[in-house]
Amino acid sequence: MSENHYTVKHVEWSAPEADEARRIRMEVFVDEQKVPAELELDSTDPSAHHVIAWDREGRACGTARMFPAAEDPGCARIGRMAVVRSARGTGCGSAMLQALIEEARRQGYRLITLSAQTHAVPFYVRHGFVAEG
């Protein structure tokens, strides 16, 4: 399945659809990666720009967020990108990343940064990011 098989929607954290973002993040980060649940949802969420990817069958299969970097408000930071296991490697992550890059440009950010787990570095490099550290 390629990325054009996903519909990426921009959602407010307070909207009912954001429950799907919370569910996906808990499944991926807490259940699979064993991140403590109390650390997963944080004070950045209410003001961040969130996206959710939906597959052709109408299932939410991925989520990510973007917010101004604390050290530089002209820089957008992308994070909490999570894709359910069944949608990994199908273009879901690419579709969400592209939507957030376009939104960052629309909002006038001059730079986009992110933190990635080491296994995800090749994915971000394919999308034009440069690994540091």
Side-chain angles (χ1 to χ4, degrees):
M1 190 180 292
S2 67
E3 61 194 73
N4 61 0
H5 293 182
Y6 292 95
T7 301
V8 178
K9 294 182 182 178
H10 301 265
V11 297
E12 295 290 327
W13 195 241
S14 59
E17 280 183 311
D19 287 343
E20 290 295 332
R22 288 184 274 277
R23 178 190 62 77
I24 291 167
R25 284 172 49 181
M26 294 305 246
E27 178 181 326
V28 172
F29 296 126
V30 176
D31 297 344
E32 290 181 24
Q33 298 179 8
K34 306 304 180 205
V35 171
E38 61 274 11
L39 298 179
E40 179 45 37
L41 305 177
D42 62 26
S43 61
T44 301
D45 284 318
S47 60
H49 185 96
H50 296 269
V51 294
I52 301 174
W54 303 83
D55 66 15
R56 287 182 175 184
E57 288 77 37
R59 295 179 300 234
C61 54
T63 188
R65 71 181 187 183
M66 179 181 71
F67 54 93
E71 66 278 6
D72 181 354
C75 176
R77 183 172 304 277
I78 293 175
R80 297 300 205 277
M81 182 167 296
V83 176
V84 298
R85 189 182 308 271
S86 62
R88 292 180 193 150
T90 66
C92 180
S94 293
M96 291 189 303
L97 187 57
Q98 188 58 44
L100 286 174
I101 291 169
E102 289 170 9
E103 180 63 21
R105 287 182 181 139
R106 190 189 71 72
Q107 291 187 28
Y109 287 107
R110 59 174 175 66
L111 182 68
I112 304 170
T113 64
L114 52 84
S115 295
Q117 296 171 336
T118 54
H119 69 85
V121 169
F123 168 80
Y124 292 109
V125 168
R126 283 194 308 272
H127 287 85
F129 289 85
V130 176
E132 291 182 3

